[in-house]
Amino acid sequence: MKFPVKSHGAAREDVGALVIGVRAGRVLSASAKAVDQATEGHLTEAMAAGGFEGKAGQCLTLFRVPGVKAEWTILVGIGDEKAQDARALRKAATRA
């Protein structure tokens, strides 16, 4: 099984699932903001409606998000920027 890691043009990738890491407080990286713009704010709205804060271990799975070519979009909480280390990122990847 292949797991390509890309950070640009993610909304246009023809993949089964697009996984997006979100920092605590619903902070999106530049590439995640680009995906949110492609969805006309759908990701931001889904996070608010689903009570998703980006805390380490949180996961929000969305199906057929408008503006995203992937069938599934999975938002994974990676916690505070200060607490991000290899272990925290492995935990987030496992949740996805």
Side-chain angles (χ1 to χ4, degrees):
M1 191 176 295
K2 294 183 181 181
F3 295 99
V5 177
K6 298 180 180 184
S7 63
H8 291 76
R12 296 184 307 270
E13 290 294 324
D14 189 13
V15 294
L18 174 62
V19 180
I20 300 172
V22 180
R23 283 189 238 115
R26 299 184 189 142
V27 176
L28 299 173
S29 67
S31 56
K33 285 179 185 176
V35 174
D36 194 39
Q37 288 176 339
T39 69
E40 298 181 359
H42 187 85
L43 299 183
T44 299
E45 289 179 19
M47 287 189 287
F52 181 87
E53 294 294 328
K55 295 177 185 174
Q58 274 189 313
C59 192
L60 181 63
T61 304
L62 307 170
F63 184 65
R64 293 188 182 158
V65 174
V68 175
K69 200 167 185 180
E71 188 168 24
W72 295 94
T73 301
I74 305 169
L75 304 178
V76 179
I78 55 176
D80 292 325
E81 188 173 7
K82 295 179 270 183
Q84 288 180 11
D85 58 11
R87 183 177 179 191
L89 294 176
R90 270 193 305 274
K91 181 180 179 181
T94 301
R95 292 284 306 178

